[in-house]
């Protein structure tokens, strides 16, 4: 474990390395406890660097067995080696061959970075700084090298030997051993290196690229699970086709392989030609995976594939530029999913995710710009801000330029920077060059943290036939950025007439308005539309054109009107969701008094109309009927949070909606019953989503538990089974129906850890003060393992991040369990521990009693000696 050294890495300190490594040849002799690695590095001193400059390579916990230059072993005085660094004091020439021998122990690697074992399979994870756990190297993304890799192992232990690029050679050796050689012709940074070896089952496929080249596709899974990889293979082929159609990007190697492993720190990894996946994002069939799992698999397969151009062919100059590959690739996978499924539904889901994960990050102690300026541990910057907000920033570029200029900019980006390690400045420049626009103010989206807010009020002057919008922007202070500059915010909008049709105007002044977008650039804009005779309703931030918050002074009547009539599907959903949020906040504050019932009744009536509106897609209706989550409500309230009060407010509104729509919801529930064979397509998934959402409401009415139990028993797929189980466990905790269903689920999926994760997850989410004890009991369940990231995230992660009343139990017991567990996980896997620890980032918004207890838990973690760099960084920033 790398303990914290207090070192801070700064963007402004970037400088190119003195040496380059144009070629890297690696030879692995695999063995669980003592893998022997020989690295032959072609080293070149960069032009203009003094001949006396030492060569300094990074390592991490390495044992050096030998070092030679151009075939001659180095004398002790020629170099300095520690586990974390190798310094060649006087490199002999401008160009030379450095030979390094190291020994590593994959079986003891529980951090899951570098070369490790998962389920007896050897695999690697090198992003961001894992390659230095394999050999000493210039382990930074601007060092691009051509790799040749030879892997050798006993045939019976590892019949399959994979690395990046194309296969070159393979053969048998003495003593039952064998080897394979792989060559990747594309220079790449070390973080994209990968090796996999073991006994795995294969699903084969092929794809013909747009220029007619045949690519061999392989998905490797645990033997016996091959039939669960069919959907992933289909998603891969669709991704390859889509990138050709949408971006003109063709695949560039003869093979493309994906390996699913059961121990993985993140979702998946885009290693060149050899993606390694968390098996959760590969394995699926109707019996084991929900519709949400299918959608995630499709999106992540696409995401990693799309990295081949955005990340691999063009990589990042340094880790500060992480969003250059991640934000852009998320944008690309979002567009892919929108094209494969329903664009409106996809957009709503994206915005919900952004608000649930990125907004609290941006509004709390861990806030950072999309392109950070400093870090202590880069692992902690794989965040919703870099990924999700990074994607929104790319989307805004497309919104501002229009789709054609955007595509021209992307083409120029690929043409200009192929084979390079680029920066955000390079990326923005291509769009300036193709459009002639100045994106200097826009670039603040990359450089300035915080969620901008727009305050908007409107007025209509019937006599003057003038409609006016007063818009004011502000960006709240964030850590180490107390003063903010004004941003360029593309605000999509529409003026909606009483007939639901767009209202036109004859002239507009006060801001640049083009193509339905108001370009906000100053602190205040008074935007005057003339020739508007009738007072319109104003629909703002249509399609969520900018990742901002809005404070709109608007009458509830206008919101109800937009929730029923806005032609922009996103904004229509938003209007209803805002009404729900307002009602929930009002209930929380107990200020509605007699009016509360009226407002709730009106909402319930509209909910019924949306539920039954056949003109709307079922998936859309399901999203509209889903109440804002407890954490969403807490975020909008902002401070003094008492999760129990929020829970009560939400329950009450759900009941009101259920009671008001009892008959209609029952009829809808019956009419949506599954007919015909299962299909994971978006339309079928949408019908299941709507039916299960309606079930959730109906379960609140008398007889609800037995209805949910019938749904559970009749379920013919995991989506329905898991939904019913969640309804029973969360709404009817402790009832015989809930206990029976939990036991039946456990018995049915005993031995299938991935499916049991759902069972852990549902139980970790049960609201109320008893769940903390239940989580302690489940941690001793035979299927639970503190060493496996998926198990930890399902049980502990869900409890801490998705169970407001359970985790924030008033006596602080939830925080105690949490702190203990984070420290326990950290001993093995600092990266996963640090990510888990971010669950307390919003502690300052809690009411004083809970706030003090949460702080206590954080302080206890901070006081532990020798914390990992990962955890210390999170804990100290959270407390700062
Ligand atoms: N680069 C991976 C992705 O987003 C994420 C990842 C980061 C995986 C670090 C492992 C380690 O596609
Ligand atoms: Zn990515």
């Amino acid at each position: 474990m790398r303990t914290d050294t207090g070192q801070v890495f700064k963007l402004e300190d970037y400088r190119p390395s003195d040496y380059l490594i144009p070629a890297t040849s690696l030879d692995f002799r695999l063995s669980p406890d003592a893998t022997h690695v020989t690295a032959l590095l072609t080293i070149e001193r960069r032009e203009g660097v003094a001949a006396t400059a030492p060569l300094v390579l990074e390592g991490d916990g390495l044992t050096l067995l030998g070092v030679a230059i151009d075939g001659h072993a180095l004398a002790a005085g020629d170099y300095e080696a520690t586990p974390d660094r190798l310094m060649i004091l006087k490199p002999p020439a401008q160009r030379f061959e450095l030979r390094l021998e190291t020994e590593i122990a994959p079986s003891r690697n529980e951090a899951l970075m570098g070369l490790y074992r998962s389920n007896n399979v050897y695999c690697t994870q090198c992003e961001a700084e894992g390659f230095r756990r394999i050999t000493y190297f210039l382990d930074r993304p601007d060092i691009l090298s051509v790799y040749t890799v030879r892997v050798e192992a006993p045939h019976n232990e590892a019949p399959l030997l994979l690395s990046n690029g194309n296969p070159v050679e393979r053969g048998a050796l003495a003593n039952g051993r064998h080897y394979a050689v792989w060559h990747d012709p594309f220079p790449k940074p070390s973080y994209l290196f990968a090796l996999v070896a073991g006994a795995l089952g294969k699903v084969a496929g092929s794809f013909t690229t747009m220029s007619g080249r045949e690519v061999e596709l392989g998905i490797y899974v645990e033997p016996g699970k091959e039939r669960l990889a069919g959907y992933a293979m289909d998603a891969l082929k669709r991704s390859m086709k889509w990138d050709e159609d949408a971006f003109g990007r063709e695949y560039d190697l003869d093979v493309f392989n994906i390996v699913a492993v059961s121990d993985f720190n993140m979702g998946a990894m885009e290693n060149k030609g050899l993606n390694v996946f968390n098996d959760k994002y590969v394995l699926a069939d109707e019996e084991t995976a929900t519709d949400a799992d299918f959608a995630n698999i499709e999106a992540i397969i696409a995401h990693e594939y799309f990295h081949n151009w955005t990340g691999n062919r063009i990589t990042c100059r340094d880790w500060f530029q992480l969003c250059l590959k991640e934000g852009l690739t998320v944008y690309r996978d979002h567009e892919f999913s929108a094209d494969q499924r329903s664009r409106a539904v996809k957009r709503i889901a994206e915005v919900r995710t952004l608000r649930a994960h990125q907004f609290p990050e941006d509004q709390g102690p861990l806030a950072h710009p999309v392109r950070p300026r400093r870090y202590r541990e880069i692992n902690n910057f794989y965040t919703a801000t870099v990924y999700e907000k990074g994607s929104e920033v790319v989307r805004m570029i497309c919104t501002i330029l229009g789709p054609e200029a955007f595509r021209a900019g992307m083409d120029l980006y690929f043409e200009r920077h192929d084979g390079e390690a680029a920066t955000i400045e390079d990326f923005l420049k291509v769009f300036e060059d193709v459009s002639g626009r100045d994106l200097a103010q826009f670039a603040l989206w990359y450089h300035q943290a915080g969620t901008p807010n727009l305050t908007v009020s409107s007025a209509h002057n019937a006599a003057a036939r003038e409609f006016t919008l007063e818009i004011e922007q502000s960006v709240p202070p964030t850590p180490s950025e107390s003063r903010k500059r004004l941003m360029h915010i593309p605000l999509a909008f529409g003026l909606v007439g009483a007939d639901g049709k767009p209202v036109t105007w004859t002239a507009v002044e006060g801001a640049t308005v083009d193509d339905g977008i108001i370009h906000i650039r100053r602190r205040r804009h008074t935007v005057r539309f003339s020739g508007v005779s009738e007072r319109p309703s104003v629909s703002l931030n249509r399609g969520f054109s900018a990742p901002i918050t809005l404070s709109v002074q608007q009458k509830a009547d206008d919101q109800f009107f937009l929730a029923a009539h806005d032609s922009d599907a996103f904004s229509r959903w938003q209007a209803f969701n805002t009404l729900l949020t307002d009602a929930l906040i009002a209930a929380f504050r107990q200020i509605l008094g007699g009016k509360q019932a009226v407002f709730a009744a009106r909402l319930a009536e509209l909910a019924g109309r949306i539920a039954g509106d056949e003109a709307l897609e079922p998936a859309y209706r399901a999203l509209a009927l889903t109440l804002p989550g407890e954490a969403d409500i807490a975020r909008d309230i902002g401070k003094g949070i008492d999760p129990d009060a929020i829970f009560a407010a939400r329950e009450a509104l759900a009941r009101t909606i259920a009671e008001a729509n009892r008959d209609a919801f029952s009829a809808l529930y019956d009419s949506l019953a599954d007919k015909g064979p299962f299909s994971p397509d978006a339309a079928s998934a949408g019908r299941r989503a709507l039916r299960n959402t309606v079930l959730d409401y109906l379960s609140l009415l008398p007889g609800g538990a037995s209805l949910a139990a019938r749904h559970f028993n009749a379920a013919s797929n995991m989506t329905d089974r898991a939904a019913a189980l969640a309804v029973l466990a969360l709404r009817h905790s402790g009832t015989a129906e809930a206990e029976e269903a939990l036991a039946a689920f456990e018995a049915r999926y005993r031995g299938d850890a991935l499916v049991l994760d759902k069972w852990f997850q549902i139980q970790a989410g049960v609201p109320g003060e008893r769940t903390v004890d239940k989580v302690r009991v489940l941690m001793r369940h035979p299927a639970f393992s503190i060493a496996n990231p998926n198990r930890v995230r399902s049980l502990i992660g869900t409890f801490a991040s998705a169970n407001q009343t359970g985790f924030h139990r008033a006596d602080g017991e939830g925080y105690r369990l949490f702190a203990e567990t984070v420290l326990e996980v950290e001993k093995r896997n600092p990266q996963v521990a640090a990510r888990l620890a971010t669950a307390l980032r919003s502690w300052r918004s809690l009411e004083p009693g809970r706030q003090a207890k949460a702080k206590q838990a954080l302080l206890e973690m901070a006081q532990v000696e020798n914390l990992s760099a990962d955890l210390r960084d999170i804990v100290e920033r959270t407390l700062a």
Side-chain angles (χ1 to χ4, degrees):
M1 178 169 98
R2 260 195 291 176
T3 51
D4 183 48
T5 59
Q7 189 175 0
V8 176
F9 297 88
K10 298 178 182 158
L11 171 61
E12 69 258 30
D13 291 345
Y14 173 84
R15 69 175 197 95
S17 60
D18 289 346
Y19 291 88
L20 301 169
I21 312 181
T24 297
S25 170
L26 299 170
D27 190 345
F28 289 83
R29 259 172 294 150
L30 295 174
S31 158
D33 302 319
T35 287
H36 197 95
V37 184
T38 305
L40 200 58
L41 311 179
T42 302
I43 309 271
E44 257 178 36
R45 191 168 59 238
R46 205 188 280 270
E47 206 88 40
V49 170
T52 52
L55 169 67
V56 184
L57 303 179
E58 284 103 19
D60 182 358
L62 289 174
T63 307
L64 182 65
L65 300 182
V67 47
I69 287 183
D70 292 333
H72 304 290
L74 291 196
D78 294 341
Y79 68 96
E80 283 173 25
T82 69
D84 301 338
R85 199 174 76 151
L86 173 63
M87 180 144 85
I88 311 290
L89 300 168
K90 290 200 196 76
Q94 198 266 328
R95 187 186 168 101
F96 58 95
E97 298 278 328
L98 177 66
R99 186 187 150 98
L100 302 171
E101 282 179 61
T102 51
E103 192 182 274
I104 51 183
S107 63
R108 291 197 292 275
N109 181 349
E110 289 188 295
L112 314 185
M113 288 292 278
L115 178 67
Y116 65 96
R117 299 263 285 174
S118 173
N119 226 340
N120 296 323
V121 173
Y122 293 92
C123 61
T124 54
Q125 173 53 45
C126 292
E127 187 178 6
E129 297 177 338
F131 191 74
R132 61 184 68 179
R133 292 162 64 92
I134 295 171
T135 190
Y136 295 96
F137 206 74
L138 290 173
D139 191 14
R140 44 189 282 172
D142 62 347
I143 292 295
L144 307 185
S145 191
V146 172
Y147 285 67
T148 306
V149 179
R150 183 180 176 282
V151 190
E152 181 187 321
H155 191 282
N156 61 343
E157 281 172 29
L160 176 75
L161 304 170
L162 300 176
S163 189
N164 314 88
N166 297 316
V168 178
E169 192 191 328
R170 55 185 293 174
L173 299 165
N175 305 324
R177 298 174 71 80
H178 74 147
Y179 74 97
V181 179
W182 292 77
H183 178 75
D184 180 0
F186 296 97
K188 66 168 174 288
S190 50
Y191 81 85
L192 291 173
F193 165 78
L195 175 159
V196 171
L200 289 161
K202 178 179 187 177
V203 176
S206 75
F207 181 81
T208 309
T209 69
M210 60 199 222
S211 71
R213 276 189 319 100
E214 213 36 38
V215 181
E216 248 184 73
L217 311 177
I219 300 187
Y220 296 89
V221 299
E222 206 179 292
K225 298 202 167 161
E226 292 83 354
R227 56 180 188 79
L228 297 177
Y231 186 77
M233 178 61 86
D234 178 57
L236 173 59
K237 291 177 189 168
R238 286 186 281 122
S239 304
M240 296 178 86
K241 179 73 170 71
W242 185 89
D243 213 15
E244 294 183 345
D245 294 345
F247 284 94
R249 296 297 109 197
E250 186 176 3
Y251 187 62
D252 51 7
L253 290 164
D254 303 336
V255 298
F256 185 76
N257 286 321
I258 290 175
V259 180
V261 299
S262 48
D263 299 82
F264 200 74
N265 284 347
M266 309 276 272
M269 180 63 210
E270 70 264 23
N271 316 300
K272 182 79 186 190
L274 179 55
N275 290 356
V276 176
F277 269 63
N278 187 327
D279 58 2
K280 175 179 166 63
Y281 297 118
V282 173
L283 304 174
D285 70 357
E286 65 197 84
E287 172 65 17
T288 56
T290 62
D291 290 326
D293 293 327
F294 280 104
N296 280 332
I297 290 169
E298 180 180 79
I300 297 176
I301 291 273
H303 179 97
E304 306 310 332
Y305 175 73
F306 296 158
H307 267 313
N308 191 55
W309 276 96
T310 50
N312 301 3
R313 288 287 289 254
I314 304 179
T315 192
C316 302
R317 187 192 73 172
D318 52 65
W319 291 119
F320 297 100
Q321 321 294 328
L322 184 57
C323 62
L324 178 71
K325 73 177 179 82
E326 294 305 346
L328 176 56
T329 305
V330 170
Y331 172 72
R332 278 152 52 69
D333 85 58
H334 282 177
E335 283 299 294
F336 167 74
S337 295
D339 284 345
Q340 302 286 310
R341 292 165 175 257
S342 152
R343 189 161 276 272
V345 167
K346 173 67 183 156
R347 189 65 188 139
I348 295 165
E350 282 160 17
V351 173
R352 280 170 46 129
T353 305
L354 183 83
R355 288 192 177 129
H357 300 291
Q358 201 277 325
F359 277 22
E361 182 167 86
D362 227 355
Q363 295 161 14
L366 302 180
H368 56 273
V370 172
R371 186 178 73 183
R373 275 179 296 277
R374 54 202 55 217
Y375 60 76
R376 279 165 75 176
E377 175 51 66
I378 187 58
N379 287 339
N380 289 338
F381 283 81
Y382 288 79
T383 60
T385 297
V386 168
Y387 277 67
E388 263 66 42
K389 188 174 179 182
S391 162
E392 294 301 320
V393 176
V394 176
R395 178 176 299 278
M396 285 189 285
I397 296 175
C398 183
T399 301
I400 291 170
L401 265 64
E404 271 143 45
F406 177 76
R407 171 67 199 270
M410 287 299 298
D411 289 349
L412 180 58
Y413 178 62
F414 293 124
E415 187 191 311
R416 192 181 274 174
H417 297 292
D418 186 14
E420 291 181 8
T423 62
I424 284 303
E425 284 74 13
D426 294 330
F427 183 66
L428 284 168
K429 183 79 167 51
V430 297
F431 296 107
E432 292 190 321
D433 287 355
V434 296
S435 69
R437 283 176 193 258
D438 175 359
L439 295 176
Q441 188 184 12
F442 180 83
L444 281 177
W445 282 103
Y446 282 109
H447 308 320
Q448 188 163 272
T451 311
N453 179 263
L454 291 181
T455 304
V456 185
S457 62
S458 63
H460 183 244
N461 182 334
R465 300 179 67 228
E466 194 174 78
F467 183 68
T468 311
L469 289 174
E470 296 281 353
I471 305 175
E472 180 169 343
Q473 73 158 296
S474 62
V475 187
T478 52
S480 76
E481 289 179 6
S482 49
R483 291 195 52 223
K484 300 285 186 177
R485 287 185 283 163
L486 295 169
M487 309 196 49
H488 175 190
I489 300 172
L491 184 69
F493 77 108
L495 305 185
V496 187
D499 55 1
K501 301 236 167 69
V503 167
T504 53
W505 55 88
T506 50
V508 57
E509 59 180 56
T512 310
V513 176
D514 63 54
D515 247 355
I517 312 267
I518 306 175
H519 291 270
I520 309 291
R521 291 172 173 277
R522 303 195 296 271
R523 182 170 309 287
R524 280 187 199 83
H525 289 265
T526 301
V527 189
R528 277 180 223 287
F529 299 86
S530 34
V532 180
S533 37
E534 153 200 23
R535 190 187 76 88
S537 301
V538 57
S539 163
L540 292 170
N541 211 20
R542 281 187 155 175
F544 203 67
S545 62
I548 57 169
T549 54
L550 276 175
S551 317
V552 189
Q553 286 151 34
Q554 195 163 35
K555 296 197 197 91
D557 280 347
D558 273 352
Q559 290 283 11
F560 273 101
F561 178 77
L562 291 171
H565 298 291
D566 200 321
S567 61
D568 181 272
F570 172 82
S571 291
R572 188 170 170 189
W573 168 83
Q574 182 62 69
F576 186 57
N577 198 261
T578 301
L579 285 165
L580 291 170
T581 304
D582 290 350
L584 289 163
I585 293 175
F588 171 81
R589 293 197 175 129
Q590 301 180 317
I591 55 166
L592 273 184
K595 272 179 83 183
Q596 183 184 349
V598 180
F599 194 55
R602 205 173 160 193
L603 272 176
E605 195 261 337
L606 182 51
R609 262 195 288 142
I610 292 171
D613 187 343
E614 298 286 338
L616 299 170
E617 295 171 83
Y620 176 94
R621 289 186 261 163
L623 282 172
L625 292 174
T626 305
L627 294 184
E630 292 153 58
D632 298 315
I633 304 163
R635 192 182 60 249
D636 283 340
I637 293 170
K639 46 178 177 292
I641 298 306
D642 172 350
D644 294 331
I646 292 178
F647 180 81
R650 194 170 179 274
E651 274 277 302
L653 182 59
R655 268 175 212 287
T656 305
I657 292 174
E659 279 158 11
N661 294 289
R662 173 195 312 256
D663 296 340
F665 279 7
S666 282
L668 186 59
Y669 176 81
D670 292 339
S671 76
L672 287 164
D674 235 354
K675 300 179 199 79
F678 178 89
S679 162
D681 70 90
S684 311
R687 283 191 297 277
R688 283 186 286 271
L690 181 55
R691 188 163 194 250
N692 287 325
T693 305
V694 168
L695 169 71
D696 191 31
Y697 281 108
L698 291 172
S699 80
L700 294 168
L701 302 172
S706 50
L707 175 69
R710 283 200 300 282
H711 193 95
F712 180 82
N713 292 322
S716 60
N717 57 69
M718 179 53 79
T719 302
D720 291 337
R721 190 170 294 125
L725 187 64
V727 167
L728 286 166
L730 273 58
R731 302 280 196 196
H732 301 279
S733 171
T735 62
E737 286 92 339
E739 292 308 314
E740 275 164 32
L742 283 167
F745 192 98
E746 183 192 11
R748 183 171 186 141
Y749 297 107
R750 180 166 313 188
D752 191 337
L754 220 43
V755 181
L756 278 188
D757 279 346
K758 299 181 197 306
W759 184 78
F760 284 127
Q761 207 175 322
I762 286 170
Q763 295 181 85
V766 172
E769 57 182 24
R770 287 167 53 189
T771 300
V772 59
D773 300 322
K774 184 71 193 183
V775 170
R776 281 190 201 276
V777 171
L778 288 172
M779 284 178 73
R780 296 194 292 270
H781 190 279
F784 184 78
S785 160
I786 194 109
N788 178 282
N790 286 0
R791 300 303 91 75
V792 168
R793 284 187 285 252
S794 299
L795 187 59
I796 314 302
T798 303
F799 175 66
S801 298
N803 186 340
Q804 299 295 305
T805 54
F807 178 50
H808 299 287
R809 193 167 107 167
D811 66 359
E813 196 50 38
Y815 307 143
R816 267 194 291 280
L817 168 65
F818 169 77
E820 263 167 45
T821 313
V822 167
L823 292 171
E824 195 55 34
V825 172
E826 195 222 17
K827 290 181 195 155
R828 300 170 174 82
N829 192 327
Q831 201 181 335
V832 169
R835 187 162 281 260
L836 206 57
T838 62
L840 267 182
R841 66 185 167 198
S842 301
W843 66 279
R844 279 200 177 83
S845 59
L846 294 162
E847 51 80 23
R850 287 173 169 90
Q851 198 178 121
K853 294 191 170 78
K855 183 174 186 180
Q856 189 53 40
L858 283 162
L859 286 172
E860 271 163 30
M861 286 195 269
Q863 274 148 22
V864 173
E865 273 175 46
N866 295 323
L867 276 193
S868 61
D870 307 62
L871 188 56
R872 179 154 308 281
D873 173 45
I874 294 294
V875 170
E876 289 187 357
R877 277 194 287 146
T878 303
L879 280 165

